[in-house]
Amino acid sequence: MAKTTTETVAAGRLGHTIKRAEQALIGRKTEALREFGLTVPQYAVLMLLSVSEGMSAAQLARECMVTPQTMATVLANLEKADLVVREPSELHQKVVVNRATRAGRAVVKKADKAALRVEGALGAEFTPEERARFEEYLERAVAVLGSLE
């Protein structure tokens, strides 16, 4: 069978392989989180808020690696579902602090078990030594790409 144009163009391109792996992981997490009514970005926000005293939308956007516009939508949907509350900051009048509600903490606790099953299945494909090397290679990739001008 002949290779498709995409396979031909992408052959040997590390970035393409990394992107495919990321999409496969996000796809599986999306499926796992669906039963809890959460998207992957919503899950990420609730995870961060469940272990913090509250965070601004800007902080959450940076931590979740999404745009401020995307974070605004994620937070609006979480607030509408009563999974987060948004309150003015006591420290700065223009900052809104986001906090997980009791319901938000409860749902993310259950959802995290499903997400961890996905990550566990991925991790189980590697020996401990392979996994350590794999993580080292990915961290090195992050460092190299972060240092490029």
Side-chain angles (χ1 to χ4, degrees):
M1 182 175 191
K3 284 187 172 187
T4 66
T5 304
T6 303
E7 289 172 328
T8 303
V9 170
R13 293 188 182 226
L14 187 55
H16 183 72
T17 303
I18 291 170
K19 184 64 176 177
R20 285 180 45 234
E22 177 198 25
Q23 286 182 329
L25 175 62
I26 296 302
R28 290 292 177 230
K29 278 190 172 182
T30 297
E31 289 174 17
L33 296 171
R34 191 169 289 130
E35 78 175 272
F36 304 99
L38 296 176
T39 65
V40 174
Q42 289 172 336
Y43 160 76
V45 166
L46 287 174
M47 283 298 295
L48 287 169
L49 293 178
S50 72
V51 297
S52 76
E53 294 297 316
M55 298 173 73
S56 71
Q59 289 172 311
L60 288 165
R62 281 190 300 275
E63 290 290 326
C64 294
M65 295 176 274
V66 298
T67 65
Q69 296 85 353
T70 296
M71 185 53 62
T73 301
V74 169
L75 288 168
N77 288 332
L78 288 171
E79 184 179 37
K80 189 164 53 172
D82 294 322
L83 300 177
V84 300
V85 292
R86 306 174 80 193
E87 305 163 337
S89 169
E90 296 173 6
L91 302 175
H92 195 286
Q93 64 184 8
K94 292 187 178 185
V95 174
V96 174
V97 177
N98 302 280
R99 291 184 176 83
T101 62
R102 181 175 291 145
R105 286 190 300 279
V107 75
V108 80
K109 187 175 180 180
K110 293 175 191 171
D112 191 41
K113 291 177 184 173
L116 287 174
R117 280 193 296 275
V118 171
E119 291 187 25
L122 175 60
E125 280 298 307
F126 303 96
T127 66
E129 296 80 19
E130 287 173 328
R131 183 174 170 157
R133 281 195 308 267
F134 187 44
E135 289 180 14
E136 178 187 331
Y137 297 153
L138 290 172
E139 289 296 340
R140 193 180 335 159
V142 170
V144 166
L145 293 169
S147 71
L148 295 177
E149 292 183 19

